Amino acid sequence: MNLMAKSLSFPAYQFQPLINPRYCPLLQRQLLYPYKYPPSHLHRSRLILRNHFPPQCQNPSNSSSLSSTPAHQQEEEQHLEQLKETREALSLFLQEFGVSPEDSVFIASNAPKYANMLVDSVRDLEEWSAWKSGDAGGEEFGELKGFREKVVHMAKVKGDNGKVAFLESIGLNLSSAMNVARYLSKESLPGLIDKVKYMKDIFFTNSDDKILFGKKARRMMMHLSIPIDEDLQQTLSFFEKIEARRGGLDMLGFSDASFRYLVESFPRILSLPIDSHLKPMVQFLESIGISSNRMGNIFLLFPPTILWGAKGIRSRVKAFRNFEFHSFSASQVETVDKSIGKVLVKCPWVLSSGMIENYREILSFFDMEKVPRGSVERAIQSWPHILGCSPGKLKVMVEQFGDLGVRDKKLGQVIATSPQLLLRKPSEFVQGVTFLKDLGFTQDDVGMLLSRCPEIFAASIDNTLRKKIKSLASIGIYEEHLPRVIKKYPEVLVSDFNSTLLPRMKYLMEIGISKRDVAFMVRRFSPLLGYSIDKVLRPKYEFLVQTMEKPVRDVVEYPRYFSHSLEKKIKPRFLVLKQRNIECSLKDMLAKNDEEFNSVFLHSGGRMPVSDSPSAD
């Protein structure tokens, strides 16, 4: 692959000659400037000239056999040869503007429609010169002897200085390339090539998983329910163009698929200077914590930011900061900016004027609901798509939470933990509530679960909750046990079974506890499934059998043993009992608070210097 292909990652075109024997301008002005005139005029002019110069090889009585005549084959061969010469001439023409030989060859080889247009223009002007000899323009053209010279002459006459050919080579169709070229009259071709390389490197080369761009775009659109400003409208139109092609928005992160649409939708981006506009913009984004491999999240998901530049983005970040982190001091500004950078990577649309204005209304709404401002800020940091949702839509979900007794501070805790619940469809939320009630939970129980583990209500009933219940049944936790198990450890419904729950059960079986007894332990104390093997289960088991010299069977009778702190409770109490040669069960040793333990085992009103609160440490 040549240098141009490596540096620009241009789409590789399969060259196909396009023979168009009926395309010819009517007037010399149209011949000299064919790109300025509609195809309908050119076609009409071509037909008129063909009446003056009918093809010598055509047989009016048998026109269907035209493709098989030697004359037509010769014409095709001539056309192919002319196209080859055209590409070579175009390559040399581009080099006159300072384009490298490698780049010029690549451009000339990947602009087939532009090359065909030059061939047709030369042919048409040759016909015109033969018919209208003596005209000033035709006389000048007639002085050019070689076909290549004529091609270069036509390329110069078009006046775009090779930009149209370059734009076609990066994926634009010919008409779009001509349109975009009008914005670039002051740009040099080498500078334009460097700019495209720079943009592609920033937007695509170091991007994270490219398929995620489409997913993020759909998510932002899905949750948008506020009036759309001009910037968002242009962005949605850009997405629409990509969605219409094969692969849809999943191709947004791939330069060969989306860069041409980016240029077509925002042609002014190619007129932006690198040193005074693009680089300062990138530097500012880096200063607020956006790494180079995340720049595509900003520029591809919200292209108007490219036009704003560093100054425009900074002003919008400042406006966003006025709402977010309002309680932070001036010395914490850097921390604030880094946090805003994380928000932008998730949803760059928060910089749109519509979302910034909606932020004000959302804060007012939650203030009325007596939700702590800090909880709202954490929710937006975690799930900034909330800013695209109208307060009226949020109110519907807040009322659903209120029906379960989740209000004020509890509501703040819920949205800070699972802010995506605010964007849940009310019907889906109600289905989750009904599902839990069908398992045996009361209305108050459901409200308690919402407060303790709101992730349950964000999970899919069929793809997550039902499958989890089926998995629990496979290890002996049946439906009649679920209310007790889930109340004590609601996270069991959202923990990954294979990577989280099953390894803990396997470990307990490895240390000599039967599968049946493990199920019994879980039914009695379900938080057991949430403890780390290395940090909790293994060290406490080893202390039990090696230091305390107790059988592992004891933890079957008292599984809460694993919930107590090894250093603060288990070891101190064991040493006290050992010094007094007292033997007792794990439950008698650990279930009592300090006062009860002292009363029973020390016969003293004093207190032991240990904590009586359960802990998994």
Side-chain angles (χ1 to χ4, degrees), residues 38-303:
S40 59
H41 291 184
L42 302 177
H43 180 68
R44 180 169 172 268
S45 304
R46 181 81 177 190
L47 291 178
I48 293 174
L49 285 179
R50 284 299 181 193
N51 291 333
H52 289 277
F53 298 95
Q56 298 298 318
C57 63
Q58 182 169 336
N59 182 359
S61 63
N62 187 19
S63 58
S64 62
S65 64
L66 178 62
S67 60
S68 62
T69 62
H72 184 72
Q73 293 176 0
Q74 184 178 3
E75 183 179 347
E76 287 187 349
E77 292 175 359
Q78 181 185 12
H79 185 79
L80 290 173
E81 181 62 29
Q82 289 176 340
L83 283 172
K84 180 181 178 181
E85 291 188 55
T86 298
R87 291 194 295 271
E88 293 173 353
L90 180 56
S91 175
L92 294 175
F93 172 69
L94 295 174
Q95 291 179 43
E96 293 180 8
F97 298 99
V99 178
S100 69
E102 295 85 356
D103 288 353
S104 67
V105 169
F106 184 88
I107 295 171
S109 300
N110 288 277
K113 293 184 179 179
Y114 184 82
N116 272 280
M117 183 174 68
L118 291 179
V119 171
D120 286 341
S121 298
V122 170
R123 282 183 168 186
D124 294 339
L125 201 50
E126 285 177 338
E127 291 179 357
W128 180 265
S129 297
W131 181 44
K132 189 73 174 179
S133 60
D135 181 89
E139 185 176 330
E140 178 187 354
F141 185 78
E143 294 176 356
L144 301 174
K145 297 180 179 181
F147 183 80
R148 295 187 186 186
E149 292 182 8
K150 294 176 181 179
V151 168
V152 171
H153 173 75
M154 293 308 302
K156 290 179 178 179
V157 166
K158 295 185 182 303
D160 62 86
N161 296 334
K163 297 185 183 71
V164 172
F166 170 68
L167 292 171
E168 185 185 354
S169 74
I170 64 173
L172 278 70
N173 58 47
L174 189 57
S175 60
S176 295
M178 289 179 174
N179 178 59
V180 173
R182 296 190 180 99
Y183 293 87
L184 308 174
S185 59
K186 296 181 180 180
E187 298 291 318
S188 70
L189 184 54
L192 191 60
I193 292 174
D194 290 342
K195 193 176 299 182
V196 169
K197 291 177 183 178
Y198 179 82
M199 287 186 174
K200 286 195 171 187
D201 184 59
I202 294 297
F203 299 171
F204 301 98
T205 304
N206 297 318
S207 298
D208 290 341
D209 190 353
K210 292 177 171 55
I211 206 70
L212 293 179
F213 283 93
K215 183 178 180 180
K216 289 184 177 181
R218 292 189 187 93
R219 179 178 293 167
M220 290 190 297
M221 290 189 290
M222 180 175 64
H223 297 309
L224 189 64
S225 60
I226 61 174
I228 301 174
D229 57 33
E230 183 178 356
D231 291 327
L232 286 181
Q233 183 59 59
Q234 289 181 324
T235 301
L236 293 174
S237 297
F238 166 57
F239 288 170
E240 191 175 308
K241 291 179 180 179
I242 299 176
E243 183 66 25
R245 64 161 290 145
R246 185 177 182 180
L249 276 174
D250 289 335
M251 306 304 293
L252 178 60
F254 297 85
S255 62
D256 288 353
S258 64
F259 190 72
R260 60 164 289 192
Y261 297 108
L262 180 66
V263 174
E264 289 177 355
S265 300
F266 304 90
R268 286 179 49 219
I269 66 173
L270 293 184
S271 65
L272 302 173
I274 294 179
D275 292 333
S276 61
H277 187 97
L278 298 177
K279 286 186 177 180
M281 176 176 62
V282 170
Q283 290 169 358
F284 173 74
L285 291 174
E286 288 176 340
S287 72
I288 61 174
I290 301 175
S291 59
S292 60
N293 66 332
R294 297 296 184 90
M295 292 293 171
N297 286 271
I298 311 299
F299 299 134
L300 293 178
L301 293 175
F302 198 24

Side-chain angles (χ1 to χ4, degrees), residues 500-519:
T500 303
L501 306 183
L502 194 57
R504 288 160 172 74
M505 294 197 64
K506 287 183 176 179
Y507 174 77
L508 293 173
M509 293 170 66
E510 288 173 1
I511 62 176
I513 304 175
S514 68
K515 181 178 179 180
R516 179 178 179 182
D517 284 342
V518 171

